[in-house]
Amino acid sequence: MKSTKVAAAAASIAIAAAQVSPPPIPGSPQIIQNGNFANGTIGWQSSPAGSVKNGLYCIDVPAGSPPGNSSYLRTSYLFLETKNDVYTLNFTASSSVGYDILVQTPDAPLDPNLNMTAALTTSPYPFSMTFSPANQAPNASLEFDLGGSPAAATVCIGDVSMKRIDRSSWRQDYGPAVKVNQLGYLPTGPKVATLVTNSSASTGWTLYNAAGDACASGQAQYRGLDAASNQTVSTIDFSSFSTTGDGYILTAGGSTSLPFSISSTLYNDLRQDSLRFFYQQRSGIAIDGNLVGQQYARAAGHVQVPPNKGDVAVPCQAVHDSLIAYLEPWTCNYTLDVTQGWYDAGDQGKYVVNGGISAAQLLMEYERSARVNATNKLGDGSLRIPERNNGIPDILDEAQWELQFLIKMQVPANSAPQLFNGSMIDMSGMAHLKVHDNQWTPLPTDPSQDPKRRELHRPSTSATLNLAAAAAMGARAFAQWDAEFAAKALAVAKTAYAAAQRNPTILAPGTDWDLGGGAYSDDDVSDEFYWAAVEMYLTTGGKQYLDDLTSNPYHTANVTTLFTLPSGFGWSSVAALGQLDLATVPSNISNHSAIVQSVVDAADVLLAVQQNSSNGYGVFLTEYPWGSNSNNLNNIQIVATAADLTNNSTYRSAALEALDYVLGRNAISQSYIRGYGTKDTQNVHSRLYAHELDNRVPQAPPGAMGGGANQAASDPPADDVLQGCAPMTCYVDDVNSYSTNEVAINWGSALAWVVGWADGQ
Ligand SMILES: *[C@@H]1O[C@H](CO)[C@@H](O)[C@H](O)[C@H]1NC(C)=O
Ligand SMILES: *[C@@H]1O[C@H](CO)[C@@H](O)[C@H](O)[C@H]1NC(C)=O
Ligand SMILES: *[C@@H]1O[C@H](CO)[C@@H](O)[C@H](O)[C@H]1NC(C)=O
Ligand SMILES: *[C@@H]1O[C@H](CO)[C@@H](O)[C@H](O)[C@H]1NC(C)=O
Ligand SMILES: *[C@@H]1O[C@H](CO)[C@@H](O)[C@H](O)[C@H]1NC(C)=O
Ligand SMILES: *[C@@H]1O[C@H](CO)[C@@H](O)[C@H](O)[C@H]1NC(C)=O
Ligand SMILES: *[C@@H]1O[C@H](CO)[C@@H](O)[C@H](O)[C@H]1NC(C)=O
Ligand SMILES: *[C@@H]1O[C@H](CO)[C@@H](O)[C@H](O)[C@H]1NC(C)=O
Ligand SMILES: *[C@@H]1O[C@H](CO)[C@@H](O)[C@H](O)[C@H]1NC(C)=O
Ligand SMILES: *[C@@H]1O[C@H](CO)[C@@H](O)[C@H](O)[C@H]1NC(C)=O
Ligand SMILES: *[C@@H]1O[C@H](CO)[C@@H](O)[C@H](O)[C@H]1NC(C)=O
Ligand SMILES: *[C@@H]1O[C@H](CO)[C@@H](O)[C@H](O)[C@H]1NC(C)=O
Ligand SMILES: [Ca+2]
Ligand SMILES: [Ca+2]
């Protein structure tokens, strides 16, 4: 996803005589002041006025008061309610007449997550509610809405207590000092582990098989300080051992690793499961429990069946919101059917720039597999998806689900001009940047139950080029399988490309964030122009596109710029995708060997990162930004492509070794992929998989990957528990940690490409 999809700054409220409490500290004490009414009514207000009797605040609710806040009891001390944090509220209440009251934090927009019914009876009953706010509320209050009593009633409330979750006992679990890929190693691949040790003295290691027999041994190589983890480490290389089996363990320095396998089919299941993630992210189709397990069955999301308000006829953003997003009243006078696609991440928005790169990586995986083996393993019948018997390779079916959505995001031909920077502009053929709810929904939310207004956001040049690139790739891939779709995709790509050329500077602004979705802003679209020109050229061979790509500054940029090294390419820096395809997809481009060399040169930059003495984990990262696992994986794609292009085993080994990182060879022994490894991620941030908050929803399926360590992690759990963390250790496996543990389609596509590659090694 993106670091811009962060905490809300929501509405304030104005309540007479309100006072603001200091923000709570982690695991903090009481948020509600004078909740036992020991000090009378201080800190409370009510309508009608009440009085304290025996430690209870009692209110006479008149007969006929309508449901809601016609009568109420409310705190007058305001408090900070942090989005996605976890709170527990306790109180005791009774009523002389049995009826239901509503308990809320009544700040606009009304938070759906503390909006609970308390069924009152004549005997005092202790209520306890745990909730996680969907909205950030800097000045929140707590309110008991007492309207709706069937007759005059005396309601008494006491022992009101509300606390933020106490995370003070949380400690990072670093796992054993010997860190391995917990899935395992390929028999013919590199086998390297990391030992955390303070000793520079020679440390012996032993490999044991499942029967407990020592089968290999050697000396760990001292490396010193690993900068990203602040751990002193040695590495253990047992690459020369190649006997397959399960349940191996490594011991060294008094520590025993988690178990792992040595297997030539190591990545087989993960290849499938990494793609399965996409099916389960699909919008606009019921998820079939017979295919993926009944716990994952769900109704089609966003097919405009109430309470859904989209996505069959989605309007443009309302002016009161677009004024915030664009500082001018942009809107449009049409609606679009933007069904299908994949939900972006833990939310249920759909963003063209992120959807495009994700679909592209699946298409690249398809093209690669078709190249290396005509009988490709991603063919029809290979995936557990509804289209597994339609004669088309299943990975293409999956990519097509997204392509169809992307195509629907195109502004219709001959549409009325739209406002941009004070002028009315013909945006026909461009692509809307995104469609999402106008407000955040809570966790969990079943997509079919999302009641929010869905809105199209302003077209952008970035989205338009992204559509052009992805649709051109789709046209190429489908030519052999579905000529009609291929032709349609190509027509869309051409129209989009031309529209971007007409409107090259309609940038997606950073101000369009937090109105229920992320900004996906991008100030530099020359990389998008490069990628789109490349894909148009590779699909059509057109000279115009060749001229455009060769005159694009990225074509002659150094590899650091072209491949966004060492941080890795991503949804906003896509030149590398163009260059990788120019190097691998057959074409008549004249300087092909120089293009291949650029991929090799980029791989060499990454090899240097891996071999740097301050890198004890073999990972292609020097920094740990939001979604760092995808940065590593996208870098692996570059090195793996260099391996494909050169057959030089140095690149193959380097790419395979860097993959160990996401499966447990890291400072906290974390396998970030659910269902793979012993210490695997459990509680990804997702509205589909918020099991930790509500055990009626499932945990994420195998193959779902959390974003990973984030040296600038900030979210409620991270703020509490990751203060001062060393970059590689800044991770908390908590459903509310969106900055370290969200799932996202662009991260999943990076994993899918890399695992698809590794599976054939
Ligand atoms: C919260 O309320 C205080 C006091 O009324 C006010 O000064 C402050 O600006 C409010 N904060 C926000 C974010 O609305
Ligand atoms: C009651 O007020 C006293 C004095 O202001 C204060 O010390 C005490 O903490 C208050 N107790 C409660 C339960 O609010
Ligand atoms: C009661 O709720 C309504 C609608 O949400 C709101 O406009 C009004 O201000 C509330 N009244 C009080 C006294 O809070
Ligand atoms: C709050 O609960 C009431 C009663 O169940 C319901 O009518 C209302 O729509 C809810 N509001 C939100 C924002 O969930
Ligand atoms: C609520 O009550 C439960 C059960 O007595 C208790 O464990 C918990 O600490 C209470 N929470 C708060 C916020 O008072
Ligand atoms: C290294 O030394 C530090 C400080 O003495 C100690 O806290 C830590 O546990 C040691 N680590 C290992 C792996 O021995
Ligand atoms: C690194 O570890 C050392 C020794 O354990 C500690 O003193 C230092 O504060 C740590 N530095 C960082 C940046 O975590
Ligand atoms: C190609 O893939 C098929 C199906 O997985 C496999 O049977 C065959 O051995 C592969 N061929 C090569 C050359 O790798
Ligand atoms: C949209 O606006 C244009 C220009 O004002 C107008 O010609 C067209 O009829 C409008 N379309 C709809 C569906 O209202
Ligand atoms: C809007 O137009 C002005 C004047 O031409 C220009 O300086 C400015 O950069 C434009 N802003 C955007 C966001 O394009
Ligand atoms: C690559 O090009 C960029 C932009 O021109 C420049 O800032 C950078 O220093 C260059 N890097 C190398 C390694 O030449
Ligand atoms: C393979 O690549 C490595 C790293 O660039 C290089 O050192 C080595 O010479 C290459 N081997 C061959 C046979 O080209
Ligand atoms: Ca199929
Ligand atoms: Ca860009």
Side-chain angles (χ1 to χ4, degrees):
M1 203 213 23
K2 58 262 122 201
S3 57
T4 47
K5 194 187 277 183
V6 291
S12 60
I13 55 162
I15 293 178
Q19 297 181 39
V20 178
S21 306
I25 53 166
S28 117
Q30 197 44 258
I31 288 168
I32 305 297
Q33 299 185 33
N34 190 30
N36 61 2
F37 304 105
N39 284 349
T41 61
I42 288 172
W44 293 91
Q45 50 185 298
S46 74
S47 175
S51 59
V52 174
K53 292 174 194 147
N54 303 324
L56 301 175
Y57 192 121
C58 295
I59 298 167
D60 292 325
V61 177
S65 69
N69 66 359
S70 56
S71 297
Y72 63 86
L73 172 65
R74 184 197 292 148
T75 61
S76 50
Y77 289 100
L78 304 185
F79 50 86
L80 169 70
E81 193 186 49
T82 305
K83 173 183 150 177
N84 286 325
D85 212 333
V86 177
Y87 295 81
T88 300
L89 167 68
N90 290 353
F91 60 93
T92 298
S94 65
S95 167
S96 59
V97 176
Y99 76 110
D100 292 352
I101 64 168
L102 204 56
V103 187
Q104 299 182 327
T105 51
D107 318 282
L110 188 63
D111 200 296
N113 281 12
L114 180 59
N115 181 39
M116 300 187 196
T117 300
L120 303 190
T121 53
T122 53
S123 316
Y125 185 81
F127 294 90
S128 184
M129 304 168 166
T130 294
F131 69 102
S132 188
N135 305 313
Q136 185 84 359
N139 286 337
S141 60
L142 174 69
E143 182 174 275
F144 299 89
D145 284 351
L146 308 180
S149 142
T154 301
V155 175
C156 293
I157 295 174
D159 291 324
V160 187
S161 166
M162 186 160 117
K163 291 179 183 168
R164 201 160 77 79
I165 188 173
D166 184 351
R167 300 187 176 98
S168 57
S169 62
W170 188 91
R171 295 288 176 274
Q172 184 61 275
D173 175 7
Y174 291 87
V178 185
K179 322 287 193 182
V180 296
N181 178 332
Q182 294 161 33
L183 180 60
Y185 299 86
L186 293 170
T188 62
K191 298 174 200 70
V192 188
T194 297
L195 169 67
V196 179
T197 171
N198 287 337
S199 168
S200 61
S202 188
T203 308
W205 59 264
T206 307
L207 176 71
Y208 294 90
N209 63 19
D213 303 328
C215 37
S217 61
Q219 295 294 315
Q221 188 192 352
Y222 183 70
R223 293 186 69 109
L225 186 67
D226 173 76
S229 64
N230 196 26
Q231 294 167 339
T232 311
V233 301
S234 296
T235 50
I236 295 167
D237 190 337
F238 58 110
S239 301
S240 59
F241 185 82
S242 60
T243 309
T244 59
D246 296 328
Y248 284 104
I249 52 169
L250 260 180
T251 65
S255 165
T256 301
S257 76
L258 295 172
F260 56 89
S261 302
I262 296 177
S263 165
S264 58
T265 57
L266 193 71
Y267 290 111
N268 211 316
D269 290 347
L270 184 52
R271 186 195 66 216
Q272 308 290 115
D273 284 341
S274 63
L275 291 168
R276 162 189 174 157
F277 171 72
F278 290 90
Y279 172 54
Q280 294 196 220
Q281 289 288 113
R282 283 193 199 181
S283 177
I285 187 174
I287 302 305
D288 184 350
N290 292 327
L291 290 171
V292 289
Q294 295 307 329
Q295 71 273 36
Y296 295 115
R298 58 177 172 84
H302 298 101
V303 288
Q304 210 129 334
V305 172
N308 279 175
K309 298 199 174 86
D311 291 346
V312 176
V314 178
C316 283
Q317 203 175 22
V319 160
H320 61 82
D321 279 342
S322 70
L323 276 168
I324 301 170
Y326 313 117
L327 315 173
E328 61 183 353
W330 170 83
T331 192
C332 71
N333 73 353
Y334 52 80
T335 61
L336 292 183
D337 173 352
V338 291
T339 49
Q340 300 184 270
W342 303 309
Y343 296 123
D344 188 60
D347 64 330
Q348 287 154 16
K350 300 187 290 192
Y351 306 79
V352 168
V353 289
N354 212 41
I357 179 176
S358 307
Q361 275 182 308
L362 263 51
L363 292 169
M364 289 170 98
E365 183 175 359
Y366 162 76
E367 286 194 308
R368 179 186 178 277
S369 67
R371 246 189 336 268
V372 301
N373 184 348
T375 334
N376 88 78
K377 296 187 240 176
L378 301 160
D380 199 27
S382 64
L383 296 179
R384 301 186 66 78
I385 58 174
E387 305 82 4
R388 69 199 177 286
N389 185 25
N390 64 352
I392 294 175
D394 288 350
I395 192 170
L396 285 187
D397 292 315
E398 195 55 67
Q400 190 181 34
W401 193 261
E402 180 69 14
L403 289 171
Q404 277 161 335
F405 156 72
L406 295 172
I407 288 170
K408 291 172 181 173
M409 290 292 276
Q410 191 166 36
V411 177
N414 305 314
S415 57
Q418 298 178 27
L419 183 61
F420 176 71
N421 200 15
S423 306
M424 297 304 285
I425 294 190
D426 178 9
M427 298 200 191
S428 305
M430 294 189 73
H432 288 276
L433 176 65
K434 51 185 185 162
V435 53
H436 58 68
D437 296 326
N438 66 337
Q439 292 168 350
W440 293 107
T441 54
L443 276 77
T445 291
D446 182 308
S448 69
Q449 299 303 309
D450 171 10
K452 301 287 186 190
R453 178 184 151 96
R454 305 278 279 183
E455 294 180 330
L456 298 168
H457 289 240
R458 195 177 72 189
S460 75
T461 307
S462 58
T464 304
L465 290 165
N466 209 286
L467 169 63
M473 293 174 77
R476 197 160 73 224
F478 275 91
Q480 166 189 0
W481 304 103
D482 182 344
E484 195 183 327
F485 177 74
K488 179 181 176 185
L490 184 57
V492 164
K494 285 179 173 170
T495 316
Y497 190 84
Q501 286 188 314
R502 278 200 321 276
N503 295 307
T505 56
I506 300 189
L507 301 179
T511 39
D512 186 12
W513 71 293
D514 208 31
L515 298 158
Y520 282 104
S521 58
D522 189 348
D523 292 338
D524 175 13
V525 295
S526 48
D527 56 312
E528 279 78 11
F529 269 110
Y530 187 60
W531 183 33
V534 167
E535 301 301 349
M536 294 300 290
Y537 168 68
L538 291 174
T539 300
T540 67
K543 175 159 190 315
Q544 173 211 346
Y545 304 118
L546 179 61
D547 291 346
D548 288 350
L549 84 87
T550 47
S551 62
N552 186 293
Y554 277 98
H555 194 57
T556 46
N558 62 37
V559 292
T560 315
T561 302
L562 185 50
F563 291 92
T564 328
L565 301 176
S567 60
F569 63 86
W571 61 264
S572 68
S573 16
V574 294
L577 294 171
Q579 195 74 357
L580 291 171
D581 270 356
L582 266 189
T584 53
V585 177
S587 76
N588 293 322
I589 195 155
S590 58
N591 58 341
H592 188 254
S593 61
I595 291 162
V596 168
Q597 189 59 42
S598 76
V599 177
V600 173
D601 291 346
D604 284 339
V605 171
L606 293 166
L607 253 54
V609 167
Q610 186 173 59
Q611 289 157 6
N612 190 293
S613 62
S614 68
N615 184 347
Y617 284 97
V619 62
F620 291 141
L621 292 173
T622 55
E623 293 187 324
Y624 290 73
W626 193 304
S628 62
N629 285 338
S630 75
N631 298 64
N632 180 47
L633 290 163
N634 285 339
N635 281 335
I636 295 175
Q637 183 175 352
I638 294 170
V639 178
T641 302
D644 281 352
L645 290 167
T646 62
N647 276 323
N648 181 333
S649 65
T650 303
Y651 299 115
R652 173 182 178 272
S653 291
L656 287 171
E657 186 180 338
L659 178 53
D660 295 337
Y661 171 88
V662 293
L663 285 156
R665 185 185 163 205
N666 55 57
I668 55 173
S669 306
Q670 185 70 33
S671 167
Y672 291 102
I673 302 172
R674 172 126 177 88
Y676 289 82
T678 307
K679 185 178 176 240
D680 63 322
T681 286
Q682 300 293 312
N683 301 308
V684 297
H685 177 81
S686 167
R687 281 161 180 73
L688 297 178
Y689 307 125
H691 177 83
E692 199 182 6
L693 295 171
D694 182 342
N695 61 16
R696 290 168 300 179
V697 300
Q699 285 181 290
M705 182 181 74
N710 177 353
Q711 66 192 51
S714 182
D715 53 53
D719 291 348
D720 278 356
V721 305
L722 295 181
Q723 296 298 324
C725 53
M728 202 195 290
T729 68
C730 299
Y731 172 76
V732 51
D733 187 5
D734 186 308
V735 67
N736 289 322
S737 184
Y738 43 80
S739 74
T740 75
N741 213 24
E742 188 161 4
V743 290
I745 53 172
N746 59 322
W747 305 343
S749 62
L751 177 67
W753 191 98
V754 168
V755 171
W757 171 83
D759 186 51
Q761 299 304 307

